[in-house]
Amino acid sequence: MSNFYVTTPIYYVNDLPHVGHIYSTVVCDTMARFHRFRGDDVYFLTGTDEHGQKIQRAAAQQGVTPIQLADRVVERYVELWDQLGMTHDDLIRTSQERHHRAVQEMVRRIDAKGDFYVARHEGWYCSGCEAFYTDKELTEEKHCPVHERPAEWEAEENVFFRLSKYQEALLAWYDQDPSPVQPRSRRNEVRAFVEGGLRDLSVSRTKVDWGVSFPGHEGHTVYVWLDALTNYISALGFGSDDTSLFEKFWRSEEPDDQRIHLIGKDILRFHAVYWPAFLLSAGLPLPTSVVAHGWWLVDEKKMSKSVGNVARPDHLVEEFGADALRLFLLRDMVFGQDASFSDEAFVDRFNSDLANGLGNTLSRLVTLSRRAFDGQTPPVGTEWDGALRQFAEQCAGDYLSAMEESAFHRALEALWRLLGETNQFLVRNEPWKKLKNVEERDQVACVLASGLEAVRIVASALLPVMPSTAPKVLEGLGAPTVGNESSLAWGGLPLGAELPESPSLFPRIDKKKYFAAAEKQAEASSAPPPARKSDPDATRAEDSPQIDISQFAEVDLRVADVKAAECVPKSKKLLRLTLDLDGVERTVVAGIQQQYAPEDLVGGQVVIVANLKPAKLMGIESQGMVLAASVDGAAVALRPEKRVPSGTRVR
Ligand code: MSP
C-alpha cells in the first residue's frame, strides 16, 4: 500500500465556480477514488485562494470586505463539492490561521538560506494572473496574454527571491525519467522557458495589504503565489505542532509514494518553476508530479468573466445528475488537450454512452436472463465464454494502465469497447432465439452469464468515475458493490442470484425537446440560451462581411502534390509537408496532425493558398497554407475530387 497525495489548484474567490474549476476537482476526485480502489492510502486536498490584489479589488467593487466575499464564495464551493460527490479530506482556505503560520515558516526557511534580497522593482503587472510580465510577453497593446486586459505598470521596493540560482536544479528535475512534469508537451514547454534563463522573482508587495504579512519586512505582504502554493503543505500541518500528515504525505521517501498536483495549463509556470524552487530553497521534498490538463473552451475561447462565456452546468446536474456530468467531462476531453463545452455535446454523450451503450446493454441482458431463468442470473455451474472473457481482461488491463497515466478518456474508451463487444457477442449468439429450446439452455446460460459479467466489470471500473450510479448498475445485475480492484477480475457475478426487474437508469434525452424547453426557459428568465456545439469557423455564411471579386482574385489558390510529410518534432498539431507546385518544391506547415498521419497524405493532393506571406511555425518557414474545413475545431483537408496537374488554380 502506498501513500497517494493529490491536490487541486486552490480556487480564487472573486468569482463563482464554473465548469473549468469543476473539471479539475472531478479529475482529482476520480484519481483519489481510483487509488483508494487500488488500496492506496489517499489524501485528497482542495481549497480556496483568498488573498491578493484581485480579491481585494473584487471585494471593494462589491462593497464588502475581502473576507466577507471569501466566506460567501467558499460556501458555494462547499455546497457544490458536496453535490458533485467529492471526497476531499480537507478544504484549505488561505485566510486560515494555520495557513498563515505555514507561509511564514516557509518565508523564514528561504530567508535562512540567504535566498532573499531587497530591490526596487518596476514592471507590468496583471492582477488577473497576479504576475509580472515582460514587454515581450505582453501583446502589442500591452495587454495580458491570458486575460487580454491592459497590464498595469507597478513600481515598488520588494523582497526578491533568487530564482535564477535554481535554474540548473530545475532542469535536472525536468530531465528525470519519467519526468515529474506531465504531459510531455508541458514538460518541454516549461523546460524551454527555464532554459531561456530565469530572472529573480519579486515575492513581496507593499500595495496589497490583504495577505500574509512578510516576517522581517513591515508593511510588506507575501506575494500571493508564494502564499497560495504553500497551501499544499500548510494543509498537512507544516509549521504547526502536529506534522504527522506532513511527514506521511509530503516527506516520505518511499519510492511508490506519490504527491501529485493536478493543475490547468494556465498555472504551469507557478507549479513547475516557482514552487519547486521555493521547496528546494526551503530544503523540502518536491512533488513527484505536476500534471497539467487543457482548457474547456466555450466558443473556442477559454472561459472567462470578461469574455462573458462562462459555463455553469448546474442545470445539467439538476436534471441528469452529477455522475452524468463527471462522465462527460472525463470522456469528452482528451486529457492534456483543450475541449469544447456545450450542452449539446453533453446530451450527445449522454445518449450515446449512457442511454445506448450502458443502459441498453444492461436492460437487454437483464430482461433476457429474467425470462430464461425465472427472474435470476444463469444457474450455478454455468460455464463462461472464453473469448469474451479474454476481451474483458484486455479491456480491464487497458483501463487500469490508462487510469494510472491520467488518460481518463482512454480508460473510458476501453470500458465502452467492452460494452460494444458484449453487444456484438449477443448479436452473434442470438440468445433470444434459443430461450425456449431446452437443448440450448447451457449455451444460453453461458452467453447471458458472460454478457452480464462483462457489464459487471464495466460497472465496477466505473466506481471512481460514477460513484453513485455504478452501484445502481451493479444492483441491477444482482451483483454486490466491491470497492476494490479485485472486482475487475472475471467471474465475480453471483450465479443463480435474484435479478430485479431491469432498472431504467439512463432514459434517453430527446434532444429536440430538451433544447426547445431550455430555450423557452432561457427566454422567460432572460438567461443565456443553452450552449449548442459551436465553432467560430461555422458561423452563418450570411453573417460574414462581403468582399468583391477582385479581392477574392488576390488570393492565389492552387492544387499541390504531396511529396513528403512528417510530424514537426515537439508539436502535437503540426505536419511539415513537402509539396510540388508545377515542378517547384515548397515547404508548408499545416496544423492537421491530429486528423492525418503523414502516410495519409503522401502521394495525394492538397489545396493551398500559394501567395501567403511566408511565416515561421516552430522554427520552420511555411510557404503557404493548406485549406481545410473546420468541423468542431478538427481539420478536414480539401482535396480535388480527381487528380489534376499540380499547380492548377482553384477558383
Ligand atoms: N488561485 C490560482 C491557483 C493557485 S494554486 C496554488 C488560480 N485559481 S483559479 O480560480 O483561476 O482556478 C484555476 C484552475 O481552475 C485552473 O488551473 C484549472 O485547473 C481550472 N480552470 C479554470 N478555468 C478553466 C477552464 N476553462 N478549463 C479547464 N480548467 C480551468 O489560478
Side-chain angles (χ1 to χ4, degrees):
M1 185 165 87
S2 311
N3 294 325
F4 182 82
Y5 180 42
V6 62
T7 66
T8 71
I10 51 171
Y11 303 109
Y12 287 131
V13 290
N14 63 322
D15 193 13
L16 294 172
H18 60 58
V19 73
H21 310 123
I22 291 176
Y23 178 69
S24 299
T25 315
V26 164
V27 167
C28 287
D29 184 66
T30 303
M31 285 172 141
R33 287 175 184 270
F34 175 70
H35 279 269
R36 287 189 206 109
F37 184 76
R38 298 212 91 174
D40 289 338
D41 200 345
V42 171
Y43 202 82
F44 165 23
L45 175 71
T46 188
T48 45
D49 190 354
E50 306 186 7
H51 292 140
Q53 191 162 321
K54 180 181 178 116
I55 311 300
Q56 196 169 310
R57 280 190 186 162
Q61 271 166 13
Q62 296 180 29
V64 292
T65 62
I67 193 67
Q68 283 171 331
L69 173 64
D71 286 346
R72 199 158 71 198
V73 176
V74 169
E75 201 177 307
R76 181 66 198 116
Y77 269 104
V78 169
E79 272 170 22
L80 181 68
W81 297 158
D82 183 45
Q83 192 188 12
L84 295 177
M86 302 304 178
T87 53
H88 47 287
D89 295 282
D90 195 358
L91 187 152
I92 180 105
R93 300 183 53 178
T94 55
S95 57
Q96 289 165 337
E97 171 59 24
R98 58 173 175 158
H99 177 73
H100 280 232
R101 257 188 282 130
V103 173
Q104 291 186 332
E105 174 60 17
M106 192 72 181
V107 167
R108 272 186 221 104
R109 280 178 173 241
I110 297 176
D111 199 19
K113 187 75 166 278
D115 281 345
F116 287 145
Y117 62 91
V118 176
R120 198 177 152 69
H121 185 234
E122 292 188 342
W124 293 107
Y125 196 76
C126 168
S127 63
C129 301
E130 296 279 16
F132 279 99
Y133 282 104
T134 61
D135 279 303
K136 251 185 22 211
E137 288 167 326
L138 295 177
T139 65
E140 263 174 32
E141 307 83 45
K142 298 272 172 281
H143 285 189
C144 159
V146 179
H147 292 86
E148 296 172 6
R149 280 195 314 238
E152 295 166 67
W153 185 255
E154 300 256 341
E156 55 181 334
E157 193 165 83
N158 292 154
V159 179
F160 275 76
F161 170 67
R162 295 186 201 280
L163 181 63
S164 53
K165 181 175 151 186
Y166 292 95
Q167 180 163 345
E168 290 311 312
L170 288 171
L171 290 174
W173 188 56
Y174 308 139
D175 289 344
Q176 284 177 12
D177 189 22
S179 177
V181 181
Q182 294 291 340
R184 188 144 191 94
S185 52
R186 299 287 161 222
R187 174 255 181 209
N188 294 346
E189 173 188 323
V190 81
R191 196 184 191 291
F193 170 74
V194 172
E195 213 171 16
L198 285 177
R199 297 182 324 148
D200 290 347
L201 182 71
S202 153
V203 288
S204 80
R205 308 298 310 277
T206 53
K207 294 199 180 124
V208 184
D209 48 17
W210 175 235
V212 179
S213 44
F214 204 112
H217 292 272
E218 209 176 312
H220 289 238
T221 50
V222 175
Y223 170 48
V224 68
W225 274 100
L226 171 53
D227 166 346
L229 289 159
T230 304
N231 91 86
Y232 299 131
I233 54 176
S234 63
L236 297 177
F238 172 74
S240 79
D241 298 337
D242 180 1
T243 55
S244 49
L245 285 173
F246 179 65
E247 294 302 326
K248 177 169 176 180
F249 289 102
W250 197 268
R251 253 207 209 298
S252 125
E253 307 254 309
E254 293 301 318
D256 289 339
D257 286 354
Q258 296 187 63
R259 307 178 274 281
I260 299 189
H261 299 314
L262 185 283
I263 58 166
K265 64 179 183 181
D266 45 335
I267 52 175
L268 180 68
R269 187 179 300 182
F270 304 100
H271 284 79
V273 182
Y274 300 171
W275 178 228
F278 295 148
L279 288 165
L280 284 168
S281 171
L284 296 172
L286 304 192
T288 54
S289 334
V290 173
V291 183
H293 63 71
W295 286 338
W296 282 99
L297 309 176
V298 170
D299 296 336
E300 302 299 305
K301 286 203 173 91
K302 180 173 185 254
M303 269 172 276
S304 115
K305 220 163 53 159
S306 50
V307 181
N309 62 347
V310 171
R312 297 205 167 84
D314 306 28
H315 57 293
L316 297 177
V317 175
E318 252 166 53
E319 212 167 328
F320 308 109
D323 279 11
L325 179 70
R326 292 173 65 114
L327 176 81
F328 166 72
L329 294 176
L330 294 170
R331 178 65 185 79
D332 259 49
M333 180 176 266
V334 173
F335 190 84
Q337 296 180 17
D338 293 346
S340 287
F341 183 90
S342 68
D343 287 31
E344 191 176 1
F346 171 89
V347 170
D348 287 347
R349 177 63 65 194
F350 186 98
N351 282 342
S352 70
D353 284 13
L354 293 177
N356 269 355
L358 183 56
N360 277 354
T361 316
L362 171 71
S363 69
R364 198 175 193 188
L365 280 158
V366 167
T367 309
L368 286 170
S369 190
R370 278 175 55 84
R371 280 230 308 266
F373 304 107
D374 207 13
Q376 294 193 334
T377 57
V380 179
T382 297
E383 301 272 329
W384 303 108
D385 178 85
L388 190 62
R389 173 184 187 150
Q390 220 180 358
F391 199 93
E393 284 169 350
Q394 177 69 42
C395 291
D398 291 350
Y399 159 86
L400 286 172
S401 50
M403 289 293 279
E404 282 292 351
E405 290 165 29
S406 315
F408 307 102
H409 59 289
R410 269 206 281 122
L412 292 166
E413 246 165 45
L415 301 182
W416 262 264
R417 210 165 50 236
L418 177 54
L419 287 174
E421 178 58 22
T422 305
N423 276 310
Q424 289 302 313
F425 171 74
L426 292 179
V427 171
R428 279 197 302 275
N429 288 287
E430 301 184 312
W432 44 86
K433 288 195 179 156
K434 305 168 188 167
L435 294 184
K436 300 250 159 65
N437 189 344
V438 183
E439 278 153 38
E440 289 178 299
R441 200 175 153 75
D442 284 354
Q443 203 211 333
V444 168
C446 166
V447 168
L448 295 181
S450 303
L452 287 163
E453 175 59 3
V455 179
R456 190 197 62 78
I457 291 177
V458 169
S460 303
L462 277 176
L463 281 167
V465 177
M466 304 184 71
S468 42
T469 329
K472 290 186 190 150
V473 176
L474 289 164
E475 206 180 292
L477 293 163
T481 294
V482 181
N484 64 45
E485 208 184 334
S486 69
S487 60
L488 301 190
W490 183 267
L493 182 81
L495 294 173
E498 282 311 304
L499 203 48
E501 218 164 291
S502 165
S504 167
L505 292 175
F506 312 107
R508 192 178 173 77
I509 305 171
D510 181 330
K511 201 162 155 182
K512 255 198 189 151
K513 262 197 200 150
Y514 171 78
F515 278 100
E519 267 152 27
K520 221 170 174 189
Q521 207 178 353
E523 249 166 50
S525 64
S526 69
R532 307 295 295 244
K533 279 184 189 162
S534 67
D535 183 348
D537 301 327
T539 47
R540 297 174 342 137
E542 53 270 41
D543 294 341
S544 302
Q546 292 188 331
I547 57 169
D548 59 43
I549 188 81
S550 64
Q551 284 171 293
F552 173 67
E554 285 176 22
V555 184
D556 188 12
L557 301 177
R558 304 266 174 175
V559 176
D561 289 346
V562 183
K563 293 287 168 202
E566 59 180 316
C567 297
V568 172
K570 297 189 187 160
S571 168
K572 280 196 174 156
K573 292 203 177 137
L574 300 181
L575 285 180
R576 175 201 185 116
L577 307 180
T578 308
L579 304 178
D580 175 276
L581 208 67
D582 200 13
V584 181
E585 196 165 277
R586 290 193 180 215
T587 299
V588 170
V589 178
I592 55 176
Q593 196 194 117
Q594 310 247 316
Q595 289 78 33
Y596 296 91
E599 57 274 22
D600 295 339
L601 299 166
V602 177
Q605 296 191 304
V606 288
V607 180
I608 65 164
V609 183
N611 62 340
L612 200 64
K613 281 193 188 134
K616 272 207 166 167
L617 293 168
M618 302 276 293
I620 304 168
E621 188 176 90
S622 180
Q623 301 152 321
M625 183 178 93
V626 170
L627 292 189
S630 170
V631 183
D632 281 343
V636 179
L638 298 190
R639 308 192 232 192
E641 192 208 354
K642 60 180 182 213
R643 203 164 185 92
V644 297
S646 91
T648 304
R649 261 199 98 152
V650 177
R651 310 165 172 270

